[in-house]
Amino acid sequence: TATITINSSDLTGDALSLSTTTTLYKAGQTVGLENTSGIGRTKVTTGSAVVLYDGSDYDVAGSHKVYVANKSTDATEYFTITANAEEIGRLYAGDWAFFPWSAHDADADIKYTASVTTGMVIEHMIISE
């Protein structure tokens, strides 16, 4: 089960309070996902793209959810996140993302690239079938 809550007093000009919860199901089923990599943290000292999750390691027809977070406190440091060589976006200091992923072929890797080589930390987890 995953829950997200967003509270803001100034995002829309009015007070905003959203909360939603969902069960993370296997593809085409009403059975919850059962596998996780567990939370991991990696200290990054390279500016090259690094494979976080390899598309060939996961069921092509399966349901997969990916969590990544930039644990840096320096506002100028970011990780560029890609899926299947397409840029999803940048995670700046303190940013995180949670998204579905289709491991549709061996090239569908999730990768990250650090903006600096000074030891930024990326936190990550996959929940999968």
Side-chain angles (χ1 to χ4, degrees):
T1 301
T3 301
I4 184 169
T5 301
I6 300 173
N7 291 303
S8 176
S9 61
D10 61 358
L11 184 63
T12 64
D14 295 317
L16 175 68
S17 180
L18 302 171
S19 184
T20 189
T21 300
T22 190
T23 300
L24 306 176
Y25 291 118
K26 292 182 178 182
Q29 299 182 35
T30 57
V31 175
L33 295 175
E34 299 170 336
N35 299 309
T36 180
S37 63
I39 292 286
R41 286 188 175 191
T42 303
K43 186 174 183 179
V44 183
T45 57
T46 179
S48 301
V50 176
V51 175
L52 182 59
Y53 299 111
D54 188 322
S56 61
D57 291 341
Y58 295 88
D59 182 3
V60 172
S63 176
H64 314 294
K65 311 299 184 217
V66 175
Y67 162 79
V68 289
N70 180 348
K71 304 310 281 184
S72 176
T73 57
D74 182 331
T76 65
E77 296 180 349
Y78 62 87
F79 286 102
T80 302
I81 307 298
T82 62
N84 200 33
E86 293 291 327
E87 185 174 323
I88 294 174
R90 292 179 176 178
L91 294 177
Y92 286 90
D95 284 348
W96 58 271
F98 184 78
F99 55 92
W101 173 52
S102 175
H104 55 79
D105 61 39
D107 296 324
D109 302 338
I110 301 290
K111 297 181 181 179
Y112 62 84
T113 306
S115 63
V116 296
T117 59
T118 55
M120 291 172 53
V121 174
I122 188 168
E123 187 173 75
H124 48 86
M125 177 177 66
I126 186 166
I127 304 168
S128 62
E129 290 195 28

